[in-house]
Amino acid sequence: MDNSQLENTINEIRKRSGTITVFNKDKISNAIYKALAATSKADRGLAEQLTDSVVNKLVEQGYTSSRSPTVEDIQDIVESTLIDSGNSDIAKAYIVYRHERRKLRDEKKKILNLKSLDPVSKKFDLNCLRVLASRYLFRNGKNEIIESPTQMFERVAILVGIGDILYDSQVFDKAGNRNQSIDEAESYLEKLDAFDYKFKVGDYYLNKWHFRSLINHYVTLATKGQMKVSFKELLTLLASKKLDSYADRMTENLEMMTSQDFLPNSPTMMNAGGRLGQLSACFVLGMGDSMEQIMKSTSDAALIFKSGGGVGINYSELREEGDIVASTSGVASGPVSFMNIINTVTEVVKQGGKRRGANMGIIEAWHPDVEKFITNKTEPGILENFNVSVGIWEDFWHALVNTKDGNYVLRSPHDKKPVKEINAHQLIDLIALSAWKSGEPGLIFFDQINKHNVFAKARQAPLRATNPCGEQSLYPYESCNLGSINLVNLVKRQADGTYEFDWQRYEEIIRKTTRFLDNIIDVNNYPVAEITVASKESRRIGLGVMGVADLLYKLRIPYNSKEGYELQAKLSETLTYYSMEESVALAKSRGEFPLCSKSEYPEGKIPVAGYYEKPKESHSYEWDALIEKIKKYGIRNVLVTTVAPTGTLSMIADCSNGMEPAFALVFEKRVTVGRFFYTNKIVEEVLKEHGLYSDELLAKIADNYGSLKGLDEIPQWMQDTFVTAMDIHWADHLMAQAVWQDWIGNAIAKTINMPYDVTVDDVKSAYLLAHELGLKGITVYRDGSRHKQVLHMTSENAQKTFEVTPTKHVTDFVTANITNPYIKSQVNAALAIKVHDEEIKIEPLIHEEISEDRLCPTCKNNLIFVEGCSICIECGYSGCTSG
């Protein structure tokens, strides 16, 4: 009997859950191949041969199309076949593999509170599921998990699909002038319970919170006169399956997430299809200089924290400490005191009951309290729920780099009158010293943020605040919905085993995810009425990426090489180009964002620096043609791209964070039985391929800051390719951020990692170079700094045994492009390569007792610091809100 006849004889198998599924010989072959690989006999041909023997035995034992074997039956026969064929060592490996799989299944069921595993649980690894269980899956009043990962992704996919349904031509009229009863639709909000799981689209049932979003979305469009049908007629269309084609969109949304190709920001996964229904990560509030305005902002912040969001506030409007308050003849307590109020509110109000909120506190360089603000966080326990940044404008930068004396005037926020004169150099030195000590404050370059801000004309004001991690500038009461594409998944394996990037799939997923995020704006349940208005006026979205470092590993391209920078630049340009193009397509069918006509888009301007600042011949796309389309049809979203922190999202997607280099290739985890190592999967595969993988080598890498650099056992090409954050000079970190920033509409969440031995002058030079490179903000992090050291060590024995220098690409850029004499002299001095005869061994600050604030507040394990944000690699806790 040939193989095809054998396969046809057994058509189905019975799974552990009792369900019947199609018999697939390849699954047996893959399991045997893994056992062969475990005994260093990875041989596909032998695996196929042994699989044929297994199938023969199944037939001999009477399994046919009418008598299906169980999974356990098949596994028993695999074992006996391996032993009978004289492969007892492989049989042993298979038995161990089978035992480990059973253990893994049991562990997954325990974590997820499931009796049998759902499709996502089977596919996702244990760490991904731990993160989902700790933060995303719905729980009951007893704190027990009550939904599977598949159900969680389904509730998100259904909600996003509801966004599409109301733009169907049967119900939507872009031109408007239709009159429908808003009251009729809103009356259904009073009886949500009666409509729980009553309607479905294809096979997807709408729960009552999905139904609420349908009502609210309908009301918004009906208010603009764009609904052709009454709400009851809409429900009739749903019930009669006239809108069932949108089940395909829901399936598409579901598959993007469950394939780990794309994930929306954390609040979307936490709240979609739930009571809170708040889907945005980022918010900005204004804070005016009156008690009423301060208390309004504080109250709004509390509502945002409660709904799962984080808040950025610029405190520069508040009068300086000691200024006389005319209404009371009292003395102003200053901005820092009001930051403490927000800090306390954050502490008290947990986000969605799941985590504390995050804040960005900003004061601009001209504010009289700027020096106090800069030094405030260098002491332990101060403003612990805040990231803080100093806002920089053109006048300060001019005083710093173009004037001899550096004189700079601080002005009263109250009447803009001069309060005192300081030296710009002394102020930047103070900022650099504080950041050297503690990682804060960051710098926000408002001059760069507003350079191509097409929305300033519509808002009649510049942008003056960002979200908590600094990558998303917003106007007061604006929100932003973020999402990240997992780039490492978009590779194609070549016949020779190497990988290439799939640009066509990238374009397809950019288009789909742009629509996904645009839909989120419509189905979102915003926490404050003003946020609903402002968010829908601009329809700002933030599509970004994750898995960049892993992608470069797969392609064997060093992150900090010319080729690495060129690929990252093209990835960035492609992201914004196709996202904007899709946004224009959405404008054609659904309408441009409401304030589009008042912005600079009709004048042919776009919020993309690379279009203006990179030579046209270096552009990969026809930007002029896109601009013409925008002038003709408008654009749906004021801005479309942002590279946000993806701490927990990356854990769920099983890839590297955002556009950051890998933090470490090997992390140590100490357990009672000894040392255990987390290893980057791609690097683990390469080490095994080259016969280098061993526990001894993993320990050596962990003790070397998780880096391969300087280890004699590791070939030079591997050391050059598989670089970590600490292998890369801070100037190359800035260069990587810059090649993304050239084409990203909003900004980038990135940590500029610095070794423990950098000077304050190095930090200052990083600021100067960052501004020259066109960055919108910068967060530096010196290893070993601060009481709040978020541990950079990957092992208790970690020692740095290598020197990091800037690449020729960076030094050539500085030589060719920096013309300002002051900046040139400072940056050149900092980038001068230091020659050391002796091996550098820097003892990190690791042997002192680890204070509580270095530990994860959820599971008390060590935190690491990436993307300007602290994250826990154990449970997925993140100090940021977006991911």
Side-chain angles (χ1 to χ4, degrees), residues 593-614:
F593 72 91
L595 292 180
C596 187
S597 62
K598 293 180 180 175
S599 73
E600 290 183 329
Y601 276 120
E603 298 163 30
K605 293 186 180 169
I606 57 171
V608 183
Y611 169 73
Y612 300 100
E613 295 166 21
K614 294 285 149 192

Side-chain angles (χ1 to χ4, degrees), residues 265-523:
N265 52 214
S266 286
T268 297
M269 291 195 293
M270 288 173 178
N271 298 332
R275 182 184 58 80
L276 280 173
Q278 199 291 99
L279 313 175
S280 306
C282 317
F283 299 86
V284 156
L285 295 172
M287 188 168 273
D289 191 37
S290 73
M291 196 49 70
E292 291 76 18
Q293 289 169 307
I294 291 165
M295 288 302 114
K296 165 75 171 143
S297 295
T298 305
S299 162
D300 290 343
L303 292 171
I304 290 168
F305 298 144
K306 188 179 173 187
S307 77
V311 177
I313 297 177
N314 186 330
Y315 292 84
S316 303
E317 293 299 310
L318 302 183
R319 66 187 72 201
E320 69 273 23
E321 186 178 356
D323 191 30
I324 302 299
V325 182
S327 58
T328 61
S329 300
V331 175
S333 57
V336 174
S337 64
F338 289 105
M339 288 173 71
N340 281 311
I341 294 174
I342 298 284
N343 191 62
T344 305
V345 169
T346 314
E347 199 74 39
V348 173
V349 183
K350 262 195 174 180
Q351 290 189 322
K354 291 190 172 80
R355 57 180 179 175
R356 282 204 306 263
N359 294 281
M360 171 64 83
I362 299 165
I363 280 188
E364 294 170 27
W366 52 262
H367 194 285
D369 285 357
V370 67
E371 291 150 302
K372 180 184 178 185
F373 174 80
I374 291 164
T375 55
N376 193 48
K377 273 199 79 176
T378 51
E379 294 303 313
I382 306 293
L383 295 176
E384 293 209 322
N385 300 307
F386 268 86
N387 293 329
V388 295
S389 289
V390 175
I392 301 292
W393 293 92
E394 294 88 339
D395 60 341
F396 177 81
W397 204 251
H398 176 73
L400 181 67
V401 304
N402 292 327
T403 63
K404 278 188 179 174
D405 56 14
N407 287 347
Y408 183 66
V409 176
L410 303 185
R411 299 181 178 276
S412 168
H414 177 51
D415 54 16
K416 300 295 180 280
K417 286 181 180 168
V419 172
K420 66 174 176 177
E421 191 170 83
I422 61 162
N423 184 285
H425 294 281
Q426 287 175 1
L427 190 67
I428 205 82
D429 286 344
L430 186 65
I431 295 168
L433 175 64
S434 179
W436 182 89
K437 281 182 182 174
S438 67
E440 292 195 86
L443 283 190
I444 297 176
F445 299 125
F446 283 127
D447 52 345
Q448 304 281 22
I449 284 170
N450 287 288
K451 195 173 184 182
H452 302 293
N453 176 10
V454 294
F455 203 35
K457 186 178 174 186
R459 287 286 182 209
Q460 298 183 315
L463 281 159
R464 290 182 61 200
T466 76
N467 72 325
C469 288
E471 81 281 2
Q472 185 64 66
S473 309
L474 298 167
Y475 283 95
Y477 287 115
E478 254 194 303
S479 68
C480 193
N481 307 299
L482 311 174
S484 301
I485 296 169
N486 181 3
L487 295 181
V488 72
N489 277 13
L490 304 181
V491 289
K492 293 186 287 192
R493 196 180 175 97
Q494 308 289 83
D496 64 359
T498 60
Y499 291 94
E500 72 168 354
F501 189 72
D502 191 336
W503 292 98
Q504 188 182 336
R505 254 194 86 205
Y506 189 34
E507 178 191 340
E508 286 165 8
I509 200 164
I510 290 167
R511 292 187 184 283
K512 288 174 185 174
T513 51
T514 298
R515 189 181 64 229
F516 183 113
L517 293 177
D518 183 65
N519 285 357
I520 293 276
I521 295 164
D522 291 324
V523 295

Side-chain angles (χ1 to χ4, degrees), residues 92-157:
K92 186 181 173 186
Y94 181 78
I95 291 163
V96 170
Y97 165 76
R98 190 177 172 184
H99 172 70
E100 290 300 320
R101 298 279 295 176
R102 187 182 297 119
K103 236 168 68 178
L104 181 64
R105 281 195 302 275
D106 291 344
E107 181 75 2
K108 285 181 173 183
K109 284 191 267 196
K110 189 179 166 189
I111 286 168
L112 298 168
N113 193 26
L114 290 174
K115 287 189 172 64
S116 62
L117 295 179
D118 63 303
V120 172
S121 310
K122 285 178 185 171
K123 184 183 167 212
F124 281 27
D125 78 12
L126 204 55
N127 279 349
C128 303
L129 298 176
R130 279 200 185 105
V131 175
L132 288 177
S134 69
R135 296 180 60 194
Y136 297 92
L137 303 178
F138 282 171
R139 292 172 180 261
N140 62 16
K142 298 176 188 170
N143 204 31
E144 298 162 331
I145 293 170
I146 53 169
E147 70 175 350
S148 70
T150 303
Q151 288 168 328
M152 184 272 284
F153 285 121
E154 276 183 357
R155 64 174 161 80
V156 178

